[in-house]
Amino acid sequence: MKFKQRVVLCALTLVLALGMGLTAIAAPQNTLEKVKSTGKLVAGVKFDAPPFGFVDESGKVVGFDIDVAQYIADYLGVELELKQVTSKTRIPMLTEGTVDMVVATMTHQKARDENIDFSITYFFTGQRLLVKKGSGIKSVEDLAGKTVSTVQGSTSEHNIAKAQPKAKILTFQEYPQAFLALQQGRAQAMTTDASILAGFVKEGYEIVGPFIAPEPYGIGVRENDSDFRDAINFALMEMWETGVYKKVYNKWFGPNSDYPIPLGGEIEVWP
Ligand code: GLU
């Protein structure tokens, strides 16, 4: 082979290799295929957010999000495996591939959508305050110069800083630690979604104030994984249409539950 021919061949090989490399990088994820071939769906769920995901007296992880994740696994005909995530770890654990989806009280936000994708909204709530009864705190206006506890990586942390720049914000990894700070008087209020605060209210405490921000929950999936996202959306729609969603909702939030909260919205159902 002449020198010129060799150069052309080398260049062609390089272009081909680069092309293949780029295709590999840009290739869409197919978590649906992976889940079906392994027969297992790995869900990232909270262990710290009653009644969405928490450890019950028998040591079992239970909650509304767990029931939603189980419905999706059943819809796909696969086993469900649960892995603990926190507000801070859930997006990295998804993008690194440690979990297939995140069903963990996660608000879908434009900012978060830069790194991951979301299902349709499956739960509707908003951020409020939990305080000791008789504290005199009725809304964010009363928090100037006071300390508020919440968790790292949550929308709550950012929303409260914006809503009351004069409050000191004390952040933790998990919600029970934020509640402990309130109990011990290290914080005068705890803030996050009303539906999570409901899981901590007990004698002597109350949830106060209007919504500081709306918090619609979506299930987190990796970017460019649309077959999987479709399957999750269709499972959620089926859950709504068959009435299973309302049964699960009532189990955790109905009038006879430990955390009664009226239904905040309906799951969108495509015709
Ligand atoms: N829903 C809010 C969020 O996604 C607060 C609850 C949480 O920390 O998960 O950040």
Side-chain angles (χ1 to χ4, degrees), residues 19-57:
M20 279 165 67
L22 284 179
T23 316
I25 292 166
Q29 305 261 352
N30 202 329
T31 303
L32 186 61
E33 253 172 34
K34 192 203 93 179
V35 165
K36 287 206 166 155
S37 67
T38 57
K40 196 175 72 179
L41 172 64
V42 186
V45 297
K46 290 286 193 78
F47 285 20
D48 70 320
F52 290 91
F54 63 104
V55 183
D56 73 7
E57 310 85 58

Side-chain angles (χ1 to χ4, degrees), residues 46 48-49 86-88 90 104-109 112 125 127 150-157 159 175 191-193 195-196 215-217:
K46 290 286 193 78
D48 70 320
T86 64
S87 297
K88 196 174 164 186
R90 61 194 161 189
T105 68
M106 183 160 61
T107 300
H108 53 71
Q109 260 194 323
R112 285 178 177 159
T125 184
Q127 183 177 344
T150 189
V151 311
Q152 289 168 23
S154 67
T155 50
S156 327
E157 180 188 6
N159 296 336
Y175 282 106
T191 191
T192 188
D193 305 338
S195 47
I196 299 177
E215 302 288 340
Y217 295 173

